Amino acid sequence: MSSITSFPYQEALMELQDGEEIVLHIGSVSFVVKKASEADIERVNQGHFVL
């Protein structure tokens, strides 16, 4: 039986409000992360089927 593990930054990401952004530093690379809107999801997944 497999157990479900959480993403290391899951709590911080779940606390984001609409319009807020955070910077994640993974190794020597930084990422700006925000909560996705419906428009973001449509734009990024355009032409792709996501299961």
Side-chain angles (χ1 to χ4, degrees):
M1 187 177 269
S2 66
S3 63
I4 298 173
T5 58
S6 63
F7 182 73
Y9 305 101
Q10 183 172 338
E11 281 187 41
L13 293 172
M14 296 303 287
E15 292 175 5
L16 282 177
Q17 300 299 312
D18 291 340
E20 286 185 326
E21 298 177 332
I22 62 172
V23 177
L24 295 179
H25 302 279
I26 302 174
S28 62
V29 181
S30 298
F31 299 87
V32 175
V33 181
K34 70 173 188 156
K35 207 175 200 181
S37 67
E38 288 295 322
D40 292 328
I41 294 169
E42 297 250 345
R43 178 181 51 82
V44 171
N45 291 328
Q46 187 174 17
H48 299 278
F49 181 74
V50 179
L51 294 175

